[in-house]
Amino acid sequence: MSADPAEPVYRNPVLDADWSDPDVIRVGDDFYLTASSFGRVPGLPLLHSRDLVNWTLVGHALQRLEPESEFAAPRHDCGVWAPSLRHHDGRFWIFWGDPDRGVFQVNAPEIRGPWTRPHLVKAGKGLIDPCPLWDDETGEAYLVHAWAKSRSGVKNRLTGHRMHPHGTELLDEGKVIVDGDRIPGWFTLEGPKLYRHDGWFWIFAPAGGVETGWQGAFRSRAFFGPYEEKVVLEQKDTDVNGPHQGGWVRTPSGEDWFLHFQQRGAYGRVVHLQPMRWGGGGGTSRSSEAESGGGWPVIGDDGAPVAEHRRPDLPPQPPAAPATDDDFPGGRPGRQWQWTANPRDGWATHHSADGLRLTCVRTPDAHDLRALPNVLTQRLPGTPCTVEVDLRLDDGEPGARAGLAVLGDAYSWIGLQRGPDGTVRLVHRFAETAADQERDAAPARPAPGGRARLRVDIDAGARCRFSYDTGNTGDTANTADTGDGAGQGGFRPSGQVFAATPWRWVGALLGLVALAPTGQGHAGTATFTQFRIRIQEKRADR
């Protein structure tokens, strides 16, 4: 949700959608943020802001996932985990962990690229959440990472390495520098971000799990330790569960701020901005406050997340937010869209007019959208909203279909399908989490002209109500003309309310899809136009 610069305060979350595991830096007067993209393509989103409150999506650093053959089919919870963004020696650097392959790195002279191809810095299973540090005081470079127990059998510890200053290789086998098992009450230590401040090495790292945990800080005079720790942000009596995993940034005037995520079910991991200062006491060391170089970070309201706060001392900026609406000029989707796997030629056709023209891709998985690589997705807004799109099912074979989906471990979609007799009907289907194929959510209905405007109203708790307008004035039941020119008949409800569900690590997604059963030859095309998301004023679950 964009923020009005005329207001003296901002309200959290500043990014009210699934921008998971954020990291942030400042270069001059500009702030940049990246986030996890898991198995979606393009990956490594790049966001820009001038005030830490209003953000826009300016591109992606990763155009295809590698190795390409492993991401030819959806791997929704794999791929790019918890990246770290840094600026060093005139270049932007992003390090991330692929839990199945190891630590990767890309870099570029400008935030918009060109970005290098992924380089494998350290191979291995379970290596996640890497963060580099180039130490300007000594000229040395370091890297810290966490562990995924699902791949390595190890968790709750951070491993440190010396790194070559060119950022392409590590110089040792690594050493455990923080062992969470040795800290009473700490578990699932992960997501480290590494800094140098006032003569100390600092690691900001969360623990306790994404829904119930806390944000910790660790410090040591030497990179390899020993480190002392302190909890610096936790839920306390707020409704921000498990404030978790983010980055520290300093403004040109010297203000300190911390961005982190909050896990919110089907909405994924939304991003909060917290004020931060230095000076807190505590920790597990016996050092004096004078030796500590300014004390510990104090985040939020004395360690509790803030719901609203005075805006950062930065020049006012116009309201902005990552794009959602799209007219698909020239047949090209906007930056906000990602495929569920590496895309192939022919899925979308470029042309001279507006509208997204998708090929009805033949697939043996037509019964399960979760298995399809050719679903074009964007993030589900964290605020109640209405999603609409126009759909036309063009020339095609029987069984060809296309529609608008709310996609997760369970999913539901509404759209058009061509029957054996060539007629097009409005269909609405869903699949439960444990089901291996979809079922009808409502009876099929005629769609004259092979066209419909599709709608999903998403209320608090990500409860989705599907409806449609085929422009058929003969069906007057349950009509409500919206006055928006969508059709003379108005929108009609379809099926029961569907509660959106996340994937394991990813929030629910909005999706556009065109497909057909297996067979020979071209199965037809579908054209989507005027994709719109209208945000309601009332915020979800707030």
Side-chain angles (χ1 to χ4, degrees), residues 64 339 342-350 359 361:
R64 299 185 71 84
W339 298 100
N342 281 329
R344 303 171 199 168
D345 291 340
W347 286 356
T349 301
H350 297 167
T359 299
V361 176

Side-chain angles (χ1 to χ4, degrees), residues 80-412:
V80 177
W81 284 23
S84 292
L85 174 62
R86 293 293 181 265
H87 189 261
H88 167 72
D89 197 25
R91 297 186 72 83
F92 291 88
W93 304 76
I94 301 179
F95 285 68
W96 75 93
D98 179 323
D100 299 301
R101 300 202 67 228
V103 173
F104 285 87
Q105 170 258 104
V106 292
N107 60 86
E110 304 289 342
I111 195 68
R112 290 172 175 81
W115 289 86
T116 61
R117 288 188 61 178
H119 174 79
L120 184 61
V121 179
K122 180 183 180 182
K125 287 188 174 292
L127 310 180
I128 59 170
D129 309 349
C131 183
L133 171 69
W134 286 269
D135 187 351
D136 293 335
E137 296 182 20
T138 65
E140 295 188 334
Y142 305 94
L143 183 128
V144 63
H145 69 80
W147 295 85
K149 186 175 182 180
S150 60
R151 271 66 164 194
S152 64
V154 175
K155 73 168 188 174
N156 205 31
R157 64 189 63 172
L158 306 180
T159 295
H161 294 266
R162 292 180 62 243
M163 183 177 73
H164 195 290
H166 57 42
T168 57
E169 63 180 308
L170 303 178
L171 302 179
D172 55 36
E173 294 300 314
K175 174 185 176 182
V176 174
I177 57 177
V178 179
D179 186 345
D181 290 343
R182 295 180 177 271
I183 307 173
W186 286 59
F187 61 96
T188 316
L189 176 63
E190 59 186 349
K193 295 293 182 283
L194 182 59
Y195 306 96
R196 198 85 154 96
H197 175 64
D198 280 351
W200 293 82
F201 288 92
W202 288 90
I203 299 174
F204 287 40
V210 296
E211 294 186 354
T212 59
W214 56 89
Q215 182 68 38
F218 299 81
R219 70 180 183 184
S220 175
R221 291 295 187 185
F223 171 72
F224 287 103
Y227 282 84
E228 52 183 323
E229 81 285 341
K230 183 182 180 183
V231 175
V232 293
L233 186 68
E234 55 188 326
Q235 181 171 354
K236 295 190 176 180
D237 61 354
T238 75
D239 64 353
V240 182
N241 58 296
H244 214 77
Q245 191 167 339
W248 161 44
V249 68
R250 175 167 286 178
T251 69
S253 65
E255 286 186 346
D256 293 306
W257 297 85
F258 184 74
L259 285 139
H260 67 90
F261 77 74
Q262 174 198 10
Q263 175 71 38
R264 291 191 56 226
Y267 301 114
R269 299 171 177 182
V270 303
V271 178
H272 292 240
L273 175 66
Q274 302 294 338
M276 177 177 146
R277 61 181 174 85
W278 293 89
T284 56
S285 78
R286 303 181 188 279
S287 61
S288 68
E289 201 61 28
E291 182 192 1
S292 71
W296 292 79
V298 180
I299 301 177
D301 182 8
D302 196 24
V306 299
E308 62 180 43
H309 192 270
R310 173 189 58 80
R311 299 171 67 90
D313 182 19
L314 292 163
Q317 302 296 319
T324 56
D325 294 355
D326 206 347
D327 289 320
F328 309 105
R332 293 170 172 83
R335 296 189 183 100
Q336 66 268 35
W337 297 97
Q338 297 171 291
W339 298 100
T340 48
N342 281 329
R344 303 171 199 168
D345 291 340
W347 286 356
T349 301
H350 297 167
H351 53 88
S352 59
D354 288 352
L356 178 70
R357 190 175 299 162
L358 294 183
T359 299
C360 294
V361 176
R362 292 192 181 276
T363 174
D365 295 313
H367 58 280
D368 189 353
L369 300 190
R370 294 164 296 197
L372 299 184
N374 58 305
V375 184
L376 192 62
T377 68
Q378 65 167 282
R379 294 162 178 83
L380 186 74
T383 300
C385 63
T386 296
V387 183
E388 291 184 10
V389 68
D390 280 330
L391 170 62
R392 183 181 74 238
L393 191 62
D394 300 319
D395 60 303
E397 296 293 319
R401 67 201 74 164
L404 169 66
V406 177
L407 190 64
D409 273 343
Y411 71 84
S412 186

